[in-house]
Amino acid sequence: MEGDFAIKQAEFVTSAGLDSAYPAELPLEIAIVGKSNVGKSSLINAICGNRKLAKTSQQPGKTRLINFFLINRSFYLVDLPGYGYAKASKQEQKSWGQLIESYLRSGRVKHLFMLLDIRHEPTVNDKTMFQYLIYYGIPFTLIATKADKVTKARRKAMAGANAKLLGAPPYAIPFSAESGEGKDEILERIGALVSDTTF
């Protein structure tokens, strides 16, 4: 049952750059994307129950490679580099963009979790990334991070409003790595993807 899904095992496998090979393909690969410092690594650590699994940093732009994590010895969670880090050089921003696009183009990604900061309207970079997903036909789930930073009464409305501004249906899962809000819904979503996959 997908409602009973749990992550029981998670391990870092490898990092890949523009010139390095991806690990052997598995039937299911779920990628996580969002702007720098939106909380991708924190989300991975929260849903996997391991604060040290993905390296987190107060400094945006920390993830510069594609990081693969093997989950329950059967599928990958993939942490993509954050985009839109203003202090990165133009060349660096361009190479991150090429890295993300070449991965999305690979056909490996079965589903993508796109993270938005619940407190802010989607940026131009967020909208560009969303257009990539549509162009490549990648199924997605929107997640509004840092939900604990706004009042509980406003979370669902703000998450939905940001999804709508992005150009998507007006729904995103409010998530907080601090409080754990949204974790069960994200795990339920992963469970549904697992149950729909032939391993």
Side-chain angles (χ1 to χ4, degrees):
M1 290 287 291
E2 63 209 42
D4 299 323
F5 178 79
I7 291 177
K8 296 171 181 171
Q9 181 272 346
E11 62 182 282
F12 171 74
V13 177
T14 190
S15 296
L18 265 176
D19 301 319
S20 49
Y22 302 141
E25 202 165 342
L26 291 174
L28 179 60
E29 194 157 307
I30 302 167
I32 299 172
V33 72
K35 67 183 180 185
S36 293
N37 217 26
V38 75
K40 295 182 300 297
S41 300
S42 296
L43 182 141
I44 290 171
N45 291 345
I47 63 174
C48 293
N50 181 347
R51 288 177 177 273
K52 296 181 180 176
L53 184 65
K55 291 183 174 66
T56 60
S57 173
Q58 294 303 311
Q59 181 189 354
K62 184 75 174 171
T63 305
R64 296 172 185 230
L65 297 167
I66 298 174
N67 293 317
F68 290 81
F69 299 90
L70 180 63
I71 308 299
N72 292 353
R73 297 189 173 84
S74 60
F75 67 94
Y76 293 122
L77 272 182
V78 184
D79 187 11
L80 298 180
Y83 51 77
Y85 179 44
K87 289 185 181 176
S89 69
K90 287 279 184 277
Q91 183 56 43
E92 212 167 16
Q93 289 184 44
K94 186 181 176 185
S95 69
W96 290 349
Q98 290 172 334
L99 183 62
I100 293 170
E101 191 176 0
S102 66
Y103 173 72
L104 296 181
R105 221 174 32 225
S106 70
R108 293 174 61 106
V109 195
K110 300 300 186 285
H111 198 88
L112 197 142
F113 288 156
M114 182 171 177
L115 275 50
L116 301 168
D117 187 325
I118 198 168
R119 302 167 298 177
H120 307 298
E121 292 186 359
T123 64
V124 171
N125 287 314
D126 287 325
K127 291 176 181 177
T128 300
M129 175 55 63
F130 185 66
Q131 290 308 311
Y132 274 146
L133 305 193
I134 301 303
Y135 179 77
Y136 290 114
I138 301 170
F140 63 89
T141 298
L142 298 179
I143 299 172
T145 61
K146 306 181 192 282
D148 56 286
K149 305 293 187 190
V150 300
T151 62
K152 198 162 190 177
R154 297 178 64 211
R155 288 172 195 169
K156 282 194 175 177
M158 288 178 73
N162 282 345
K164 191 174 180 181
L165 286 168
L166 192 67
Y171 181 73
I173 300 171
F175 171 77
S176 166
E178 296 295 318
S179 69
E181 178 180 352
K183 176 181 171 180
D184 289 346
E185 192 173 345
I186 293 168
L187 287 172
E188 190 177 321
R189 189 80 199 89
I190 295 172
L193 293 167
V194 169
S195 67
D196 288 344
T197 303
T198 305
F199 289 92

